[in-house]
Amino acid sequence: MTNFYGQYIGFGGGGAAPAGVFQGESYGYRAGGGNPVTNVVDSVSFTSDGNATDIGDLTVARTWTAGATDFSTYGYTMAAGSGTAVIDRFAFAGTFSCSDVGDILQTHYTHAGASSPQGYGYYSGGANVLFIDKFQMQASANSTDVGDLTVAREENGGTCSDTYGYVVGGYVPTPAGHSDIIEKFPFASDANSTDVGNLVAGISGAGGTSASTTHGYLANGYSGSAQNMIQKWTFASDANATDVADTAYSSYHPGGASATAYGYVWGGRNPYVNNINKYTFASDANGTDVGDLTQVIGYTTAGLQV
C-alpha cells in the first residue's frame, strides 16, 4: 500500500516508511470532545485557512480522545474518558462512515496518541497508569499492552517521528504536579519508553502536539494557568525542549494536528474556545488564528491528519 506521497508502507510487518509520513497534506480532524460531551467529527483544511466543517459523528460521544492515522485510508479515534473504550475508524475518502473496530485496554484520561509507519496506533498513559497500548490498524482488533512509560501520568501530549512515539508533559496524581518529562518508545519493537529530555516547564492538559520532519512541538497547556507557549525539541538527538514562540490564544486541553509545513492547535479551555491556530515549522514564529471549529469545545483530539 502507498501513502499520500506514493511511498510504500508495509502494514503490520517489516515495511518501512521514510521520514515525514506522519504529517498530513490535506486535512486535520477533531473528533469528540467535552462541555458538553459530543460525537461530532470536524475536518480542518490544510490547504486554505478557514472554519472547520462538520463531516459526521463518532459511534459514541466521548471526551479525552486520542487520534491515530494509517496515513492513507483511515483515521482512528481512541476513547479515554466518558466511560467508553471504543476504537472508532472512519475513511478519509467518500461519504463519511464511522465504525467500532475494537477496544483499548481500559478507559483513562490522556491525550497521548501516535501512529507508526508499520501500521499501528498507540495510546499511552493515564491516571496512575504506565502502560503503552498498541493496536493494528487496517484490522478490527483490540489493543494490547506492549510497554510502560517511565512515570504514570494523565493529560499527556503525544506525537511521533517516523521511528519513535513521544509522550510529553502531563499531570502526575501522586505526588500531585505537572510533569516536564519528554519520553519516547520505539516503533521497531515492543519496549518500554525512556526519558530523553525535559520541557521548559512542567505542563499538563498537553494537547496541541505536532511534528515536523525534524522536531516535535507542544503548544498550549496548563501550568498553574492556561498557556500559549510553543515548545519544540529535536528528533535527531535526545535533548530538552526550548520555548520558540506563542500561539494566538491561551488554552489547555486543546487538540491539534501536523501538516507538512504547519502545526495546528484548536479548541480547549480558557474558558472553552473554538479557535483554530496554526504556526510554521520553517521558522520560530508566533501562531495565527485562521478559523473556528464548529463547536466551542474542550478535551479534544490530538494528532489526526491525512
Side-chain angles (χ1 to χ4, degrees):
M1 177 173 290
T2 58
N3 63 16
F4 49 79
Y5 290 102
Q7 299 159 330
Y8 179 75
I9 300 174
F11 289 110
V21 298
F22 48 84
Q23 299 173 319
E25 285 192 327
S26 301
Y27 294 99
Y29 295 88
R30 186 277 295 187
N35 194 42
V37 178
T38 182
N39 63 353
V40 170
V41 179
D42 278 355
S43 67
V44 176
S45 175
F46 287 160
T47 58
S48 62
D49 296 339
N51 295 336
T53 302
D54 180 346
I55 60 170
D57 296 324
L58 299 173
T59 62
V60 180
R62 82 287 298 268
T63 63
W64 301 94
T65 57
T69 175
D70 65 16
F71 312 115
S72 60
T73 309
Y74 293 107
Y76 296 80
T77 296
M78 300 163 280
S82 310
T84 181
V86 171
I87 301 171
D88 273 353
R89 181 175 74 187
F90 60 89
F92 292 133
T95 303
F96 182 89
S97 178
C98 195
S99 57
D100 178 348
V101 295
D103 294 314
I104 58 171
L105 287 176
Q106 62 177 282
T107 61
H108 44 87
Y109 297 94
T110 182
H111 280 130
S115 310
S116 77
Q118 292 80 18
Y120 290 93
Y122 291 82
Y123 187 94
S124 306
N128 298 311
V129 170
L130 285 169
F131 58 69
I132 301 167
D133 276 15
K134 178 174 88 170
F135 69 96
Q136 187 176 4
M137 295 183 282
Q138 298 274 330
S140 297
N142 296 334
S143 69
T144 58
D145 181 355
V146 296
D148 290 324
L149 300 176
T150 62
V151 177
R153 60 200 194 276
E154 60 187 340
E155 301 181 35
N156 312 311
T159 193
C160 55
S161 68
D162 60 320
T163 53
Y164 289 94
Y166 286 80
V167 180
V168 296
Y171 182 77
V172 181
T174 307
H178 306 288
S179 174
D180 65 354
I181 293 173
I182 302 171
E183 55 186 295
K184 70 180 183 182
F185 56 89
F187 291 146
S189 61
D190 296 339
N192 296 336
S193 68
T194 56
D195 184 341
V196 297
N198 297 110
L199 298 171
V200 173
I203 198 162
S204 62
T209 320
S210 59
S212 71
T213 57
T214 58
H215 291 84
Y217 290 79
L218 178 66
N220 295 31
Y222 187 85
S223 184
S225 61
Q227 301 293 309
N228 67 345
M229 178 169 47
I230 302 172
Q231 303 182 54
K232 80 173 184 181
W233 65 94
T234 181
F235 291 149
S237 60
D238 298 336
N240 295 335
T242 56
D243 179 354
V244 295
D246 295 323
T247 61
Y249 70 100
S250 299
S251 74
Y252 57 105
H253 301 148
S258 304
T260 54
Y262 295 94
Y264 286 77
V265 58
W266 50 62
R269 301 172 63 184
N270 191 26
Y272 289 90
V273 296
N274 66 345
N275 305 64
I276 301 170
N277 183 95
K278 79 175 184 181
Y279 52 92
T280 181
F281 295 144
S283 62
D284 297 336
N286 292 338
T288 56
D289 188 342
V290 296
D292 295 321
L293 299 174
T294 62
Q295 296 174 302
V296 175
I297 200 74
Y299 312 112
T300 53
T301 300
L304 180 55
Q305 61 270 326
V306 66

